[in-house]
Amino acid sequence: MAASPVTPSLTAPSFPRTRMRRNRYDGWQRDMVAENLVTPKDMIWPVFILEGENRVEPIDAMPGINRYSIDRLVEAVAEARDLGIPAVALFPVTPPELRSEDGREAYNPDSLACQAARAIKEQVPGIGVICDVALDPFTTHGHDGVLDEDARIMNDETVGILCKQALVQAHAGVDVIAPSDMMDGRIGAIRDALDADGLTHVRIMSYAAKYASCFYGPFRAALQSDGYLKGDKKTYQMDPANSDEAVRETALDITEGADMVMVKPGMPYLDVIRRVKDEFSVPTFAYQVSGEYAMLKAASQNGWLDNDRAVLESLLCFKRAGADGVLTYAAIEACKLLKAG
Ligand code: PBG
């Protein structure tokens, strides 16, 4: 005789005694057992900065995302702060005449990024300012470092320039220096440079495991960098085939003094986030990059995905993978969605 699930006998195996669906029975029940949660505090909003005044320029491949002149950026950053976003990450669009072979605009104390940092610190108290350190927005060849005669990126010479860049940013009020260049030894060198200048409170969020990815395409268009890049970035950014190497890269950055680490891109690299978090238990961030954002938007605009659900699910999955926070272009819209319930 088959065992009844309702009145199991002492001898019959009950089918099934454990019913996983019980904890999914009601909305409140699901909320009670939810292991992860997305809040505005999990989001860092990357922003694009333009020269001039009163300019807001939409970016074609990133629907809903704009480049802002500093006066308009300040308003947008104030909105982010009021939504509960803890920090923004600055990305300047460099006018072509300020690009050079050695990217010296990177350490101009009056660069667009420095001006933007000063304006935000003055006019929008209470939100953190993160700024990329790398030469690609400033070089005529579009690489993150400087080149030798054979067009190889010179590591140590580049690190020297990155230190100068970090210093002008920190003096302009940037709270968190985010080296995205993938040169060897740059975290330690930047930490030493900051400390020697009395900037011991300035934090470093390293792009510890940054891959040579096709998913940065729309970002390069947003910065108007796409026409410049000669070749690819495979001699400094990581091979998408590797994850042991991501652990070694991250270990080095932590040893050299990184306060926070980042994995980039995001969604195709959730396994790397999990490995890094499990291995080191340090604050670990993910970057949901421009190409990921573009994919979500393109599918939504075609009616193939429900935009609001896709955005929030993607962010939740970063938390589940172990990220403490996510750099995401969708930060503003996601906060509004959370607020609306
Ligand atoms: C610059 C930098 C890049 C991104 C962040 N910082 C592009 C690159 O390395 O080529 C990509 C961000 C995105 O795609 O959203 N080193």
Side-chain angles (χ1 to χ4, degrees), residues 276-300:
V276 164
K277 186 67 187 177
D278 284 350
E279 188 84 23
F280 302 108
S281 307
V282 300
T284 302
F285 292 80
Y287 199 142
Q288 184 176 46
V289 298
S290 56
E292 300 174 59
Y293 179 83
M295 289 196 297
L296 286 172
K297 291 295 160 186
S300 302

Side-chain angles (χ1 to χ4, degrees), residues 17 48 65 75 80 93 96 107 117 138 178 180 226 230 250 279 300 312-313 316:
R17 169 152 289 151
F48 299 108
I65 302 302
E75 299 167 9
V93 179
Y107 55 88
F138 311 103
S180 69
D226 42 346
K230 300 200 175 66
T250 307
E279 188 84 23
S300 302
L312 291 179
E313 183 175 328
L316 181 60

Side-chain angles (χ1 to χ4, degrees), residues 132 136 144 180 210 216 219-220 233 237 264 290 329:
D132 245 43
D136 57 322
D144 293 30
S180 69
K210 175 171 176 179
Y216 309 148
F219 172 95
R220 291 178 193 162
K233 299 192 175 185
Q237 299 179 349
K264 175 180 174 203
S290 56
Y329 299 100

Side-chain angles (χ1 to χ4, degrees), residues 45-48 56-68 222 293 297 328-333:
W45 189 38
V47 293
F48 299 108
V56 178
E57 265 183 25
I59 298 163
D60 289 345
M62 301 177 71
I65 302 302
N66 302 304
R67 310 176 184 96
Y68 299 93
Y293 179 83
K297 291 295 160 186
T328 175
Y329 299 100
I332 297 279
E333 88 172 285

